[in-house]
Amino acid sequence: MQSITEIKSLRSQIKAWSQAGLSIALVPTMGNLHLGHFSLVEKAKMMADKVVVSIFVNPMQFGANEDLDNYPRTLDEDKRGLADLETDIVFTPSVETIYPNGLAAQSFVDVPDISLGYCGGSRPGHFRGVATVVTKLFNLVQPDYACFGEKDFQQLQVIKTMARDLSIPVEVIGVSTMREVSGLAMSSRNGYLSNEQKDSATALFKVLNNCAEQLKSGNTDFATLEETAKQSLQQAGLKPDYFSIAQRDTLKAATLDDNKFVILAAAYLGSVRLIDNLQVEV
Ligand code: PAF
């Protein structure tokens, strides 16, 4: 596995691969890799001849009061895991490499509509930061495929929309959420939870499942389902941020005409913000 930090070296390897007619898949990450990330790498390996994994904790997608400084950084361990999977390149640029003129002077990519609400509502500017860094990574790596986890479902839809709107020649692939045996969606932020909190956190998946069962059994009283779910989360000790039943592809509020839904949820457990979702087709 090549470990690259500089854009020049990255571009020269990408150029050599393109000239040799090899396809490339990119897995953008912020590191602290777990089985969920590794499943993205496995998918990338299935899709393309060469796999690039980027590890970059992107300051542009963190709000002022968020966990940028404390975000878990485990680069050596991450690299070992990626080498075991025979990743071709791990790209670990510095903040200065990605934003040489600083964040204030940085051009950005905004994806309207689909970035609004849900996580975009609670974390203003978050999806601008994500869309901007992912556009830069797409331009640097010029991948044929890019793999993202479905756990961040709104992020996945934002990136798909952005690639389509800006005619970026990449196939954006969503990969199913990996879960603990308890059902808890794997996430780097789970590392902030105590064992006791991890037990409580499983309520999020349980409540999502209950709601999914209701939808499947024909209950279309979306507002009541959402309200009941929020109450269940509160009873389990979580503080709901949002719990919404949306149209799967547009993320607009679900209507009686829809049959492809995604139930999107975010809730706080202490200071840790957990997100999860379930897709339901009826
Ligand atoms: O999902 C993430 O880890 C990040 O949002 C991403 C896509 C790597 C962009 O920084």
Side-chain angles (χ1 to χ4, degrees):
M1 180 175 79
Q2 292 183 65
S3 186
I4 295 183
T5 54
E6 299 306 324
I7 286 177
K8 203 170 164 210
S9 326
L10 179 70
R11 283 201 196 276
S12 112
Q13 180 59 81
I14 298 292
K15 194 171 174 191
W17 285 342
S18 304
Q19 283 170 347
L22 298 171
S23 59
I24 302 173
L26 170 68
V27 181
T29 81
M30 297 206 298
N32 191 234
L33 305 181
H34 49 68
L35 291 178
H37 295 110
F38 294 143
S39 73
L40 303 182
V41 179
E42 297 283 13
K43 179 72 183 176
K45 283 174 66 101
M46 278 161 52
M47 301 302 298
D49 300 314
K50 297 289 177 189
V51 172
V52 179
V53 177
S54 60
I55 298 182
F56 178 64
V57 183
N58 173 31
M60 198 177 176
Q61 68 188 72
F62 286 78
N65 301 317
E66 294 184 345
D67 54 349
L68 173 63
D69 291 340
N70 301 327
Y71 196 83
R73 289 160 170 90
T74 50
L75 192 54
D76 292 341
E77 211 179 311
D78 293 349
K79 282 186 180 176
R80 277 195 293 276
L82 293 174
D84 286 349
L85 288 177
E86 296 177 358
T87 303
D88 295 285
I89 290 181
V90 58
F91 177 52
T92 57
S94 66
V95 173
E96 292 69 33
T97 299
I98 294 293
Y99 301 119
N101 301 316
L103 284 184
Q106 174 65 42
S107 307
F108 54 78
V109 179
D110 257 340
V111 186
D113 290 347
I114 202 144
S115 295
L116 300 175
Y118 316 114
C119 286
S122 312
R123 304 181 67 189
H126 171 66
F127 286 120
R128 170 183 293 183
V130 170
T132 302
V133 81
V134 171
T135 302
K136 286 181 76 101
L137 291 167
F138 283 175
N139 284 332
L140 293 170
V141 177
Q142 299 179 16
D144 301 280
Y145 306 95
C147 299
F148 296 86
E150 285 183 345
K151 199 208 90 188
D152 297 292
F153 195 82
Q154 187 179 14
Q155 167 173 283
L156 174 65
Q157 298 298 46
V158 166
I159 292 167
K160 280 186 176 171
T161 306
M162 174 196 86
R164 192 197 59 217
D165 286 358
L166 300 182
S167 309
I168 303 177
V170 60
E171 185 179 331
V172 176
I173 298 171
V175 179
S176 308
T177 304
M178 292 282 282
R179 298 183 179 279
E180 308 283 353
V181 180
S182 65
L184 178 64
M186 288 188 187
S187 163
S188 299
R189 290 193 167 95
N190 292 354
Y192 299 141
L193 299 172
S194 66
N195 284 341
E196 199 184 324
Q197 283 179 315
K198 275 191 182 153
D199 284 344
S200 311
T202 59
L204 190 54
F205 184 54
K206 287 184 193 135
V207 173
L208 280 166
N209 266 304
N210 289 344
C211 182
E213 287 311 315
Q214 287 292 320
L215 284 177
K216 283 185 203 157
S217 67
N219 188 340
T220 50
D221 185 355
F222 305 126
T224 306
L225 287 174
E226 291 168 352
E227 200 41 49
T228 310
K230 283 188 209 161
Q231 282 169 14
S232 305
L233 288 174
Q234 267 161 352
Q235 279 157 15
L238 282 88
K239 191 166 152 246
D241 178 4
Y242 60 78
F243 191 102
S244 307
I245 304 168
Q247 296 173 21
R248 191 190 64 189
D249 298 327
T250 61
L251 302 192
K252 294 196 185 314
T255 71
L256 295 177
D257 294 331
D258 297 317
N259 65 346
K260 287 179 190 157
F261 302 102
V262 58
I263 316 170
L264 300 162
Y268 287 91
L269 193 53
S271 59
V272 185
R273 187 169 178 278
L274 303 168
I275 64 170
D276 201 351
N277 65 81
L278 271 187
Q279 296 175 55
V280 183
E281 202 161 334
V282 295

